[in-house]
Amino acid sequence: MKVRAGIAALVTIAVLAGCASHLPVHRIDALTRFSAVRTMGAEKYATPELASLQQAIAEGDALMQSGKYELADSYYLLAIRKSEVVERSIAREREHERELQVQSENERLARERQKALEELKRELAEKEKEEKKRTERAPQPVRDKEKEKEVRSFPLYHTVKRGESLPQIAAQPDVYGDAALWPLLYRANRDQIRDPGRIWPGQVLRIPRNISRDDLAEARRYAQERPAP
């Protein structure tokens, strides 16, 4: 009896080992990849592809329950291939989302710059009106009026054109006639210029006129120490 029981146990172990050798070998990999793509955001970025991947795993499980292990394994392999497709879809959608965010941020900054420029233009227009009214009300000697006309022949503001830089503006005859004096423009417009090498078409820059010799010397020294923008 003991001998027969031992033989039966050996036969059972051999049968189980034979069955285990035919169990699907790709199921764990398929489930792992399914969990990974869900963590990556597949439900948000690749919903149809994720549903197809889940369906392939479900088909494989149904076949495995029916004992069709090899056919079930083919569905698990298919699920692995589909997971690769899902990963690529997620990467594309994330890149597209990032591009949209960058575009939205650039548009927001452009709107803010335009709004600041319009506010600056309104302030300048109001100041010019007030200055004109004060000039008209205050009587001045003929000599002072002639001197004022001479001073006013030079503009107090400059609207940046496409392709212009601060040295190019400073070099213009009606500004300073000297490119090395660009630091005067930069310091007078620090409220709207963060980097002297980056100015925008349409910006209205103030042109300082009451400049001392020390201011001129300091500007030239600054221009020598720093490369021209």
Side-chain angles (χ1 to χ4, degrees):
M1 292 295 292
K2 291 182 179 179
V3 173
R4 290 180 179 178
I7 293 173
L10 291 174
V11 170
T12 302
I13 293 172
V15 169
L16 291 175
C19 292
S21 64
H22 292 86
L23 289 176
V25 296
H26 297 291
R27 184 173 187 273
I28 294 177
D29 191 12
L31 293 175
T32 301
R33 287 173 175 264
F34 175 73
S35 177
V37 295
R38 288 191 65 184
T39 303
M40 293 169 61
E43 293 178 347
K44 176 182 178 182
Y45 298 107
T47 303
E49 293 87 346
L50 180 64
S52 179
L53 166 59
Q54 191 172 11
Q55 180 63 30
I57 293 175
E59 293 287 345
D61 288 344
L63 291 169
M64 184 181 68
Q65 293 295 330
S66 301
K68 301 176 181 179
Y69 301 126
E70 292 185 2
L71 187 56
D73 222 11
S74 67
Y75 274 89
Y76 294 137
L77 281 173
L78 176 63
I80 292 172
R81 301 293 181 269
K82 287 179 178 290
S83 69
E84 296 172 354
V85 174
V86 172
E87 290 176 359
R88 290 194 293 270
S89 297
I90 292 173
R92 286 195 302 270
E93 291 299 323
R94 282 183 170 176
E95 178 64 20
H96 181 62
E97 187 177 67
R98 188 190 69 81
E99 291 175 355
L100 291 178
Q101 290 175 350
V102 171
Q103 181 181 353
S104 177
E105 179 65 13
N106 290 337
E107 291 175 353
R108 184 186 67 80
L109 293 175
R111 289 194 299 269
E112 289 182 356
R113 286 195 296 267
Q114 183 62 29
K115 182 179 179 181
L117 178 60
E118 292 174 356
E119 291 178 355
L120 177 61
K121 287 182 177 180
R122 284 196 296 269
E123 291 177 1
L124 294 176
E126 291 176 359
K127 288 181 180 179
E128 288 180 355
K129 289 181 181 179
E130 292 176 359
E131 186 175 353
K132 185 177 180 180
K133 289 179 180 179
R134 286 197 301 268
T135 303
E136 291 175 350
R137 288 195 301 264
Q140 296 180 355
V142 176
R143 184 176 298 175
D144 289 344
K145 289 184 177 180
E146 291 177 353
K147 183 177 180 181
E148 181 182 359
K149 290 180 180 179
E150 182 180 352
V151 172
R152 284 175 176 242
S153 64
F154 293 94
L156 300 176
Y157 302 95
H158 177 83
T159 301
V160 179
K161 300 177 182 62
R162 185 178 298 277
E164 284 187 331
S165 63
L166 290 180
Q168 291 173 345
I169 296 172
Q172 296 179 16
D174 60 344
V175 180
Y176 296 127
D178 187 349
L181 296 180
W182 65 265
L184 296 174
L185 298 173
Y186 173 53
R187 291 172 182 172
N189 295 274
R190 287 294 296 274
D191 58 328
Q192 58 174 318
I193 300 178
R194 294 183 180 178
D195 182 355
R198 299 183 66 183
I199 57 177
W200 308 94
Q203 280 184 295
V204 179
L205 305 181
R206 291 183 290 276
I207 304 175
R209 290 302 179 188
N210 297 325
I211 305 169
S212 65
R213 293 182 178 179
D214 292 339
D215 293 333
L216 295 174
E218 177 63 22
R220 290 192 174 95
R221 182 164 53 254
Y222 185 90
Q224 290 177 353
E225 295 173 354
R226 180 188 178 98

